[in-house]
Amino acid sequence: MPARRSRARNVVALVVCATVAGSVAVTAPAIAHADPTSCAATFNLLIPGTWETSENADPHQAVGILAPVADAITVAHGNRAQVYTLPYMARAFDNGHTYADSKVDAVTRATAVLTDVSRKCTNTKFTITGYSQGADAAGDLASRIGNDNGPMPADRVLAVGLLADPGAGTKGSATVGPRTSGHGIADPRPHGMGTLSGRVASICDPGDLYCSIRKGDNPLLGSLGSILSKTPGTNGNTSNNGDTSTDGGNARLATALTSDFSGADLPALGRNVATLSQQLSAPNIDIGGVAATASSLATTLAPIADLIDSGTAHAATAQLSAAPVGSPEHGASEVLSKAGASDLSAALTTVTTIADTARKLTDAGTSTVAATSGDAAQLSAAATTLGDHLAPLTSTPADALQGASTVLSVLKPATVVGQVLNVATGVTALDMPGVLRNLTVLPRKVAALDARGAHQVAGELNNQFSPLVKMAAAVDLRWVSQVLSVIPDPTGYTQIAALVASILGGVDVIRLATLIGQIQEIAWTAVEKLLPPPGKAPDPLGAGAAMAGLLPVGLDLASVAVNMLSGKASKTPPELLGKASNTAATSISTQTENVDLPALTGSLTTMAQSQGAEDLTALVGEGLKAASFFTSGAHTNYNALVVDNVGRNAITWLSDWLNLQIERSV
């Protein structure tokens, strides 16, 4: 079991990973009962958590944290109780879908199974149990059933057990064990449990932020978690409650955090490059084989190129490279480093062209072409430089390639959440009133050739700019401002951060800091000439010459600072997250056209003194880590969480309670 991590890191893991899966058409796996004589007295559906199962798992093999519950039911009731562990996507941003997509997959598959069993076995009773993402799906099913919108009538459901439910706090579910101070990250279900009230038990460790987060204390994280747990990717159109999603901005945000490494074969990359070269050198070229190899290469290269293009790789490399040598994280840093040194764009264009050309030939009925033909020459010409383009990446050690996909597949959400938190916290740490005041005063001091005044103001600006320079070097301010802008927050906290990040994103912060440093250095030289050490005569002419050098720097400073002083973010891009047109970007640009920046800095000052800012500061202060789903100790600690006065842990209590309900029905 993973060591217990800090509450702050749990939040990051929670937002990153409790948040995946599109409305995909599914067919319920076959259930072995051709007629009512094979029906068990009870059908007990268990829905595992994220990464505990997959679409093709054996439903009769208990897995994950609920495995002891399945075993307990089987031991107590034998063949009178059928136990079925739902196979479903069970992912979080690592297979090209969002968390919401994955949960929709679970609900869809579970509904199909329950509908089939309830129709064939009219006397069978049901229990439904879920953990984490599985509890999210199980709770949604229970709410639908209790409100007469489910796969069977509520009177056929004996019990519903929810462990670490992201929808915790739903009306009609009874809390078992220690009381929590918050609700689930996905928010309580609005329609409650209906007529199933009293038959739904919910268990949550108070330290498990998946099922207990106080969103008033963390409005940014709470709102982001709500979006990511409910909004499907653009490939899907069904929201958390089965409604049609109309919020395109939220969907784009969710999709932007998704990387599809499901078809990537990194360890085979070098081998496939060599294979493609051999295929294209054959006397008679197998067009189908060429198409397959080129397509495999494109599928592997596309998500890596996406990480590089999105800025994720740059933001995450330092943290990943600090991981122990031999770890998947360190391997991922090697892959990103070698990918950055490769020409992925050209390589991806090449293999895509080869695959498309080969497909067209295949569609035209051509299965092989002679090496001397024009078609072969076209294919070979495209592949000539492929090896050179990918040489750095294909030289990556095999062990680094082997474990890298797992880390890379969840790198975007982890990195983006980290950037959002860093920007929101960094914004509150900025002395924006002081920055604006000194940016106005400094050019005046320079124009007046006031060496001491310029040196003093430039020194203050250097200190004031320090957190901004660090923030600008670590994140893409313009990109993060767009992420912040689509997060609903009634406190206005995130919108202020979005506006400021947008304004700062339109300013060349590094250049601005460099100019301020130059002014400070030149002014100090002039001051030393005017006020030399004892025994040395003042040199006013030298000081004047030095100060004259300030004038062009001061003019440059004024031109760079004008965007910040006017409150306009002229560089704000027209797209959100790089691809689709985004209304949020337009909204930010519109707000910054006539923004009252001094008033905004007043809001920043108030925000910096809020509890939310303190919480965010604590998060960053403890160090954000790109954590996987299971790094939250509280989230996996349910076999040790005592829930009643006789000392039973959550797993034991849940097993005993389900068995009691089953026993009463048979």
Side-chain angles (χ1 to χ4, degrees):
M1 174 173 297
R4 180 180 292 270
R5 302 295 179 95
S6 71
R7 183 177 179 92
R9 292 181 181 178
N10 293 349
V11 174
V12 177
L14 142 70
V15 176
V16 169
C17 304
T19 338
V20 197
S23 310
V24 290
V26 296
T27 302
I31 299 172
H33 48 44
D35 56 67
T37 60
S38 63
C39 294
T42 64
F43 183 89
N44 305 276
L45 177 67
L46 275 64
I47 310 181
T50 304
W51 298 336
E52 288 189 327
T53 188
S54 67
E55 299 95 321
N56 299 314
D58 181 357
H60 306 296
Q61 179 65 50
V63 296
I65 211 167
L66 295 178
V69 178
D71 294 341
I73 293 174
T74 299
V75 169
H77 304 288
N79 59 12
R80 294 179 302 162
Q82 182 178 357
V83 176
Y84 188 96
T85 300
L86 186 75
Y88 77 104
M89 198 178 289
R91 297 301 182 101
F93 296 104
D94 58 336
N95 63 344
H97 292 285
T98 66
Y99 171 93
D101 291 333
S102 184
K103 194 187 75 170
V104 167
D105 186 39
V107 172
T108 303
R109 291 172 182 266
T111 299
V113 169
L114 294 174
T115 299
D116 185 50
V117 176
S118 64
R119 180 176 57 82
K120 292 179 179 178
C121 304
T122 57
N123 294 317
T124 295
K125 301 290 187 179
F126 297 84
T127 70
I128 305 171
T129 306
Y131 162 65
S132 190
Q133 186 180 155
D136 207 352
D140 282 8
L141 275 170
S143 179
R144 293 180 184 182
I145 293 169
N147 288 285
D148 300 322
N149 190 32
M152 86 278 283
D155 59 12
R156 296 186 65 182
V157 178
L158 302 174
V160 177
L162 305 177
L163 196 64
D165 176 23
T170 298
K171 183 179 180 180
S173 60
T175 300
V176 176
R179 298 289 170 177
T180 62
S181 59
H183 289 154
I185 187 67
D187 301 320
R189 299 166 185 89
H191 301 297
M193 292 302 176
T195 55
L196 277 185
S197 296
R199 282 175 276 171
V200 181
S202 179
I203 302 176
C204 175
D205 186 319
D208 185 350
L209 295 165
Y210 291 81
C211 53
S212 177
I213 182 172
R214 294 196 302 176
K215 293 191 176 183
D217 290 348
N218 290 288
L220 187 154
L221 290 171
S223 298
L224 185 59
S226 295
I227 290 174
L228 297 181
S229 63
K230 294 178 180 178
T231 308
T234 54
N235 292 328
N237 58 8
T238 305
S239 70
N240 185 49
N241 296 314
D243 302 323
T244 300
S245 175
T246 58
D247 193 337
N250 287 357
R252 283 191 293 273
L253 171 61
T255 302
L257 300 184
T258 304
S259 291
D260 189 0
F261 277 80
S262 59
D265 190 353
L266 278 172
L269 182 61
R271 183 170 65 251
N272 282 340
V273 171
T275 297
L276 185 61
S277 177
Q278 292 170 1
Q279 289 172 326
L280 292 173
S281 301
N284 289 297
I285 298 174
D286 176 6
I287 298 301
V290 168
T293 304
S295 296
S296 177
L297 283 168
T299 303
T300 298
L301 294 175
I304 303 175
D306 180 49
L307 289 180
I308 301 293
D309 292 343
S310 71
T312 301
H314 172 74
T317 297
Q319 182 176 354
L320 292 174
S321 61
V325 175
S327 67
E329 289 78 11
H330 194 273
S333 75
E334 289 187 71
V335 171
L336 291 176
S337 176
K338 295 297 179 69
S342 303
D343 191 346
L344 288 189
S345 178
L348 187 56
T349 298
T350 296
V351 295
T352 301
T353 299
I354 293 172
D356 289 345
T357 302
R359 276 196 219 89
K360 288 177 182 177
L361 289 171
T362 301
D363 292 343
T366 303
S367 58
T368 61
V369 297
T372 56
S373 70
D375 291 330
Q378 183 180 358
L379 289 169
S380 298
T384 302
T385 58
L386 182 60
D388 292 336
H389 292 326
L390 293 176
L393 184 56
T394 54
S395 70
T396 308
D399 55 347
L401 291 169
Q402 187 67 44
S405 288
T406 301
V407 176
L408 296 176
S409 65
V410 294
L411 195 59
K412 282 176 77 174
T415 303
V416 169
V417 170
Q419 287 193 340
V420 167
L421 289 175
N422 272 297
V423 168
T425 306
V427 162
T428 65
L430 290 175
D431 179 11
M432 283 297 291
V435 168
L436 296 178
R437 180 179 62 252
N438 284 333
L439 279 178
T440 303
V441 171
L442 184 56
R444 296 175 187 167
K445 296 291 185 182
V446 171
L449 299 181
D450 181 354
R452 278 179 284 189
H455 180 264
Q456 178 183 350
V457 174
E460 291 178 3
L461 270 172
N462 258 333
N463 293 331
Q464 292 163 338
F465 256 69
S466 178
L468 177 57
V469 171
K470 291 178 182 177
M471 186 168 63
V475 303
D476 184 339
L477 287 167
R478 290 170 291 168
W479 193 88
V480 172
S481 74
Q482 303 306 321
V483 176
L484 287 165
S485 71
V486 299
I487 299 175
D489 173 15
T491 66
Y493 186 104
T494 57
Q495 292 305 305
I496 293 172
L499 274 172
V500 174
S502 179
I503 291 167
L504 297 179
V507 176
D508 190 339
V509 173
I510 305 301
R511 183 182 175 200
L512 198 55
T514 301
L515 291 172
I516 293 168
Q518 289 176 352
I519 290 174
Q520 187 179 24
E521 183 177 345
I522 293 171
W524 178 245
T525 300
V527 169
E528 283 187 317
K529 291 182 180 297
L530 288 173
L531 301 171
K536 191 172 183 179
D539 181 9
L541 292 178
M547 288 302 294
L550 274 181
L551 291 176
V553 181
L555 290 173
D556 204 4
L557 171 70
S559 67
V560 176
V562 69
N563 281 343
M564 184 180 290
L565 292 171
S566 65
K568 294 182 179 180
S570 61
K571 295 184 181 180
T572 299
E575 297 86 20
L576 170 66
L577 315 177
K579 295 181 181 179
S581 176
N582 175 44
T583 55
T586 304
S587 173
I588 284 291
S589 297
T590 301
Q591 291 181 67
T592 55
E593 284 179 4
N594 298 302
V595 70
D596 182 352
L597 196 55
L600 183 60
T601 61
S603 298
L604 274 177
T605 302
T606 302
M607 191 170 84
Q609 298 170 349
S610 70
Q611 181 62 45
E614 292 178 8
D615 291 343
L616 286 171
T617 302
L619 282 174
V620 176
E622 291 187 24
L624 297 171
K625 184 176 184 295
S628 68
F629 186 83
F630 289 114
T631 55
S632 164
H635 193 61
T636 58
N637 202 39
Y638 287 92
N639 61 354
L641 177 68
V642 176
V643 299
D644 65 7
N645 56 13
V646 298
R648 285 183 293 182
N649 65 44
I651 304 298
T652 301
W653 185 95
L654 190 57
S655 301
D656 291 348
W657 179 67
L658 289 170
N659 277 330
L660 178 62
Q661 308 313 310
I662 294 169
E663 188 65 38
R664 287 174 175 173
S665 71
V666 297

